[in-house]
Amino acid sequence: MKRVYLDNAATTPLDQAVIAEMTNVMENYFGNPSAIHALGREVRTLVEKARKTVAGLLNASPSEIFFTSGGTEADNTAIRCGISAYGIKHAITSKIEHHAVEHTLNTMLKNGEIDKLSFVNIDEKGNIDYNHLEELLQNNERTFVSLMHANNELGTLTDMVKVGDICEKYNAIYHADTVQTMGHYPHNVRELKAHFIVCAAHKLHGPKGVGFLYVNSNIKIPPMIYGGAQERNMRGGTENVYGIVGLAKALEIAYAEMDEHRSYIQGLKDYLKTQLIAEIPGIAFNGETDADKSLYTVLNVSFPEMDMADMLLFNLDINGICASGGSACSSGSNIGSHVLNGIKADPNRPSVRFSFSKYTTKEDLDYVVEKVKMVVKQNALA
């Protein structure tokens, strides 16, 4: 049976060049990067070379890049440590953020670490109301703002430059969850005015279990993980050297091939959208889908009401199609997508997130359209 992978927003396959880079390190470098002897220094050099590579691609200083276990740890560190360092009592976010942000802020509110949590208004496509954001910031207290660059379920983009300008105007600290867009869009930290941005390597054909947090040099935060002097006293624990090297290689490849891949993947997304509209009556889409408003790797499809709607993903799976009903981090949840709830999507219409990569082909999409059309027809309401 043919198998088509369209769940790249959840994770991506490793690039062969990344595998080769990591394998070389695994086979030839085993020293502890904190050791002062020759074998340790060799490995320390690999870590710092990777840090310099990442910093150069973002137009950051190497001292602003801290390696983590992934996007969730990076988000938690930015939020918890940023709020703690400045005694902030008011945070602003939206109701469609990733759970790494939403759950962290709700827990801090519950535990009394912040006194107030405000939610900026969003429209039915997941767009931020920038005027409302400015209204929420019009007070005399320093505020923490956490808003993602692209929604991981919908693909709807937020204007990071506009948010950064607003936050600067009111002296707010701005954390941008860039997990879905790192490696897919250029991030020049000298232009963004974000105090924190984050990365998870496995979203851009790098390894799982590694990421980084960018911390603007004007911000000083304490560690979240204590234990050793690693990451310049900012994250205790021996570095994931193989992962760090793989992350840097994956990001380097992503930047080198970014324009080519963006054009190619946007074409695939547009093609699938057009074919679904032509073949399935009543099809619709959640979030923005226009190229300038939407992450080009994600298409969230809202299907017509059908029998056994809750079995749609299962039926796609048994036909060899790997996709998601929302964020992969919510897999197995029976309470539905908080993102779709947040934009007041029709609960009677099942939704599927198809997400693409440089390895997706037009033939893959033709197969998907054929099978989706069959499944929808089989389960159509009488």
Side-chain angles (χ1 to χ4, degrees), residues 244-262:
I244 289 169
V245 169
L247 182 162
K249 185 64 175 180
L251 193 63
E252 190 174 39
I253 293 169
Y255 266 74
E257 301 176 350
M258 189 176 292
D259 291 342
E260 175 189 347
H261 290 160
R262 180 173 181 174

Side-chain angles (χ1 to χ4, degrees), residues 63-279:
S63 64
E64 296 175 308
I65 304 299
F66 300 92
F67 293 115
T68 68
S69 64
T72 293
E73 184 194 327
D75 283 337
N76 269 258
T77 301
I79 295 168
R80 289 187 169 279
C81 299
I83 286 174
S84 172
Y86 293 92
I88 291 172
K89 294 299 180 183
H90 180 207
I92 299 172
T93 189
S94 82
K95 291 190 174 181
I96 60 171
E97 299 300 306
H98 191 278
H99 282 152
V101 170
E102 181 198 29
H103 288 174
T104 302
L105 286 169
N106 280 327
T107 298
M108 294 185 76
L109 179 66
K110 181 180 177 181
N111 293 343
E113 296 169 83
I114 54 176
D115 296 333
K116 184 180 180 182
L117 180 58
S118 300
F119 296 95
V120 66
N121 292 339
I122 55 173
D123 66 16
E124 71 283 353
K125 291 185 178 293
N127 293 295
I128 296 295
D129 183 337
Y130 300 102
N131 291 328
H132 185 231
L133 174 61
E134 191 157 3
E135 289 174 18
L136 292 173
L137 286 166
Q138 290 176 352
N139 53 55
N140 295 321
E141 58 185 349
R142 195 165 198 190
T143 305
F144 191 95
V145 175
S146 182
L147 295 169
M148 66 201 326
H149 183 201
N151 187 271
N152 54 303
E153 294 190 30
L154 305 175
T156 300
L157 288 166
T158 292
D159 188 334
M160 291 176 67
V161 173
K162 182 176 284 190
V163 173
D165 287 342
I166 294 171
C167 288
E168 182 181 55
K169 180 178 178 180
Y170 294 97
N171 194 32
I173 295 178
Y174 173 30
H175 161 244
D177 181 349
T178 50
V179 164
Q180 286 295 337
T181 59
M182 187 62 64
H184 299 297
Y185 294 89
H187 291 87
N188 184 338
V189 298
R190 297 297 167 238
E191 297 176 354
L192 291 177
K193 299 180 182 176
H195 297 95
F196 304 102
I197 63 173
V198 302
C199 170
H202 72 107
K203 305 291 188 180
L204 52 120
H205 305 288
K208 296 173 180 63
V210 65
F212 69 78
L213 170 66
Y214 157 80
V215 182
N216 185 284
S217 59
N218 294 322
I219 292 289
K220 305 299 179 186
I221 62 172
M224 186 174 76
I225 297 175
Y226 291 86
Q230 291 88 355
E231 293 302 290
R232 300 184 309 286
N233 293 302
M234 273 293 293
R235 184 186 188 270
T238 302
E239 294 90 341
N240 175 5
V241 179
Y242 319 124
I244 289 169
V245 169
L247 182 162
K249 185 64 175 180
L251 193 63
E252 190 174 39
I253 293 169
Y255 266 74
E257 301 176 350
M258 189 176 292
D259 291 342
E260 175 189 347
H261 290 160
R262 180 173 181 174
S263 176
Y264 174 70
I265 298 170
Q266 182 68 58
L268 293 175
K269 176 178 175 176
D270 293 342
Y271 178 75
L272 180 59
K273 179 182 174 182
T274 300
Q275 292 300 109
L276 289 173
I277 291 172
E279 298 292 340

Side-chain angles (χ1 to χ4, degrees), residues 2-8 13 205 261 264-272 275 354-369:
K2 181 178 176 65
R3 187 166 296 282
V4 175
Y5 184 74
L6 290 183
D7 202 17
N8 291 278
H205 305 288
H261 290 160
Y264 174 70
I265 298 170
Q266 182 68 58
L268 293 175
K269 176 178 175 176
D270 293 342
Y271 178 75
L272 180 59
Q275 292 300 109
F354 296 112
S355 48
F356 322 96
S357 82
K358 62 185 181 181
Y359 298 123
T360 308
T361 67
K362 182 173 176 289
E363 289 71 28
D364 289 336
L365 302 187
D366 287 336
Y367 178 83
V368 168
V369 172

